[in-house]
């Protein structure tokens, strides 16, 4: 595999734990300038020190943001823009699988807010600076857990909340948005792809309790390590083989087909409009809110 990541600036969200930390370490070892987006200073600094020590790469920056808060995402982007004049790779890795229905400070169901809306908002706000790079890459860590449809009437599970359904709908929506970014960014040099990392031992089910926690733990006994789980993210960020590939879904470094619904452009347009509405982004900020 030929790699083109040396000296490139890469943001990784949720870089203090699991797949995100392993991705940050892998890219640091390849010589990337890594910007870790983490929500907790102590956990972020611990991971930052570990990555510097293990990789010998000192270009590991830590910027704090809570992805459940849209104002925190906006503050992160303005801090990033003060320090950096371009961005080569954005890995929207952070994700949650809440066991109950929680609402964020913005009044949005937590899985949808963090797994779908945060990547949508962060990516849109960073687009101008991504376009400053000759070839920039947006990489969204999705999941094989995808729903056959997106229920626009109950997008935020105000009725009948089911943890895994809310999670898989938020990840289905993330794939739809990934493909829509690819269409809207066609010809700009910015690519947009997504991936399923496989079943990986991590903290993703930390919220679970009782019998569900027991069975989930049992299932994850057979899961792969975060290092293995990070391989496709690292491949999509660094390999020249995929420099011009856009609008695709990967598993184990190979293009795969996601659920049929994710390719539906009418659904994509509706979802894009809902996301734009819920995040209050304007055409002036990003240039193409309703261009398709
Ligand atoms: N593990 C799997 O089997 C699997 C399978 C398919 C897809 N995925 C996806 O892979 C991605 C990484 O998950 P993981 O398995 O590595 O789980 P993890 O160990 O729980 O890591 C999730 C990361 O997201 C961060 N995060 C959560 N809420 C945040 C917020 N509000 N603001 C900023 N950061 C936040 C966490 O930070 P804190 O440590 O501070 O909470 C943590 O760094 C997720 O998108 C997940 O859905 C995982």
């Amino acid at each position: 595999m030929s790699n083109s990541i040396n000296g490139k600036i890469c943001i990784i969200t949720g870089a203090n734990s699991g797949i995100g930390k392993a991705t940050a370490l892998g890219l640091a070892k390849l010589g990337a300038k890594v910007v870790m987006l983490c929500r907790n200073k102590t956990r972020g600094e611990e991971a930052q020190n570990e990555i510097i020590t293990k990789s010998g790469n000192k270009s590991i920056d830590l910027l704090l943001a809570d992805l459940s808060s849209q104002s925190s995402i906006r503050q992160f982007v303005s801090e990033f823009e003060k320090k950096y004049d371009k961005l080569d790779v954005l890995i929207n890795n952070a994700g949650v699988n809440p066991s109950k229905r929680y609402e964020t400070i913005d009044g949005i169901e937590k899985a949808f807010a963090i797994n779908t809306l945060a990547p949508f908002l962060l990516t849109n706000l960073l687009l101008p600076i991504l376009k400053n790079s000759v070839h920039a890459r947006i990489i969204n860590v999705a999941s094989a857990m995808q729903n056959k449809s997106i229920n626009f009437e109950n997008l935020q599970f105000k009725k009948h909340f089911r943890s895994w359904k809310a999670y898989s709908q938020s990840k289905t929506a993330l794939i739809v948005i990934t493909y829509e970014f690819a269409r809207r960014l066609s010809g700009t040099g910015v690519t947009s792809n997504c991936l399923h990392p496989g079943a990986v031992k991590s903290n993703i089910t930390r919220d679970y309790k009782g019998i569900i926690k027991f069975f989930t733990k049992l299932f994850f006994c057979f899961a792969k390590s975060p290092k293995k789980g990070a391989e496709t993210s690292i491949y999509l960020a660094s390999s020249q083989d995929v420099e011009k590939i856009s609008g695709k879904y990967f598993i184990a470094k190979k293009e795969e087909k996601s659920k049929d619904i994710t390719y539906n452009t009418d659904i994509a347009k509706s979802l894009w409009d809902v996301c734009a509405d819920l995040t209050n982004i304007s055409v002036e900020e990003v240039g193409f809110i309703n261009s398709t």
Side-chain angles (χ1 to χ4, degrees):
M1 174 182 100
S2 46
N3 111 65
S4 55
I5 200 76
N6 194 28
K8 297 270 172 77
I9 301 165
C10 307
I11 294 178
I12 303 160
T13 71
N16 63 286
S17 170
I19 300 163
K21 186 165 89 173
T23 305
L25 177 60
L27 292 177
K29 284 182 176 168
L30 293 174
K33 292 183 177 175
V34 174
V35 179
M36 304 167 62
L37 180 158
C38 302
R39 66 174 159 163
N40 178 283
K41 190 166 187 284
T42 310
R43 287 198 292 273
E45 283 173 351
E46 269 173 27
Q48 180 187 26
N49 291 334
E50 186 186 327
I51 290 164
I52 292 171
T53 308
K54 286 188 175 164
S55 67
N57 180 344
K58 291 197 174 68
S59 298
I60 312 298
D61 198 358
L62 170 67
L63 293 180
L64 299 178
D66 181 347
L67 295 169
S68 69
S69 156
Q70 295 180 11
S71 72
S72 179
I73 294 173
R74 288 175 177 278
Q75 207 176 328
F76 168 87
V77 172
S78 72
E79 267 178 59
F80 179 83
E81 285 173 344
K82 275 184 212 143
K83 293 180 90 172
Y84 299 91
D85 57 10
K86 73 172 180 120
L87 173 61
D88 300 294
V89 177
L90 168 62
I91 306 184
N92 287 305
N93 164 83
V96 289
N97 185 4
S99 62
K100 292 196 183 108
R101 188 179 188 281
Y102 300 101
E103 284 194 357
T104 65
I105 193 166
D106 301 311
I108 293 165
E109 188 279 315
K110 193 174 169 186
F112 184 60
I114 295 176
N115 299 344
T116 312
L117 284 184
F120 174 84
L121 179 60
L122 185 62
T123 306
N124 267 304
L125 295 176
L126 288 167
L127 272 185
I129 205 160
L130 277 163
K131 286 179 183 166
N132 287 347
S133 169
V134 183
H135 293 292
R137 307 178 189 203
I138 300 159
I139 298 156
N140 292 329
V141 181
S143 173
M145 291 195 57
Q146 296 156 30
N147 290 358
K148 280 190 195 144
S149 60
I150 289 181
N151 184 350
F152 283 93
E153 265 69 64
N154 194 24
L155 197 55
Q156 297 191 46
F157 287 86
K158 284 191 176 153
K159 286 176 269 172
H160 314 301
F161 180 85
R162 292 281 177 281
S163 170
W164 285 103
K165 267 199 171 172
Y167 177 79
S168 52
Q169 178 162 279
S170 70
K171 291 295 187 181
T172 311
L174 179 62
I175 298 174
V176 172
I177 291 296
T178 306
Y179 297 162
E180 184 62 15
F181 269 114
R183 285 188 286 274
R184 290 177 187 234
L185 290 167
S186 165
T188 64
V190 183
T191 60
S192 169
N193 292 297
C194 57
L195 66 114
H196 168 54
V200 178
K201 280 186 191 121
S202 73
N203 290 320
I204 193 75
T205 54
R206 70 184 86 182
D207 206 20
Y208 281 77
K209 294 195 175 59
I211 192 83
I212 298 184
K213 190 178 183 86
F214 173 78
F215 280 114
T216 319
K217 266 200 163 174
L218 204 63
F219 169 77
F220 277 100
C221 280
F222 304 99
K224 54 180 148 174
S225 67
K227 186 178 176 201
K228 272 256 156 220
E231 283 178 357
T232 304
S233 296
I234 295 169
Y235 169 73
L236 289 175
S238 62
S239 173
Q240 280 173 355
D241 301 348
V242 285
E243 188 174 72
K244 293 189 178 141
I245 305 286
S246 194
K248 303 291 181 200
Y249 169 69
F250 288 78
I251 303 177
K253 301 193 225 171
K254 293 215 163 51
E255 268 183 51
E256 298 285 349
K257 215 177 155 294
S258 50
K259 279 255 162 39
D260 287 350
I261 172 100
T262 60
Y263 299 99
N264 183 316
T265 51
D266 291 333
I267 298 276
K269 167 96 180 66
S270 303
L271 185 64
W272 186 277
D273 289 348
V274 170
C275 292
D277 195 37
L278 288 171
T279 52
N280 293 308
I281 49 170
S282 61
V283 183
E284 289 72 35
E285 275 178 309
V286 299
F288 62 30
I289 291 290
N290 284 318
S291 68
T292 58

